[in-house]
Amino acid sequence: MKTTMQKSNEQGLFIDVLAEMICQYLDAKQELQQRADYWLKLFKSVGIEAKIVA
């Protein structure tokens, strides 16, 4: 029974860590998009046409 409980705890920890990594990735991706939008607006306001390739 102890082995089952330990395995369950390890699986729960793995899922928690994985979920945290996914959230951090999505947050970073959103932040990068916001920065890209800011720079595109800035360039456009000074008459520079830019395209971000990623």
Side-chain angles (χ1 to χ4, degrees):
M1 185 163 195
K2 186 177 181 182
T3 305
T4 304
M5 185 178 264
Q6 184 178 0
K7 197 172 193 179
S8 178
N9 287 341
E10 288 173 357
Q11 286 175 341
L13 180 60
F14 174 77
I15 290 169
D16 288 345
V17 170
L18 184 59
E20 181 65 27
M21 289 173 61
I22 291 169
C23 288
Q24 287 179 3
Y25 169 78
L26 293 175
D27 288 345
K29 192 171 183 179
Q30 181 180 7
E31 184 177 336
L32 283 173
Q33 183 63 50
Q34 289 172 345
R35 288 182 185 186
D37 290 344
Y38 167 81
W39 285 108
L40 287 174
K41 285 179 188 175
L42 182 67
F43 289 155
K44 188 175 182 179
S45 72
V46 295
I48 299 172
E49 187 173 325
K51 186 177 189 180
I52 295 182
V53 180

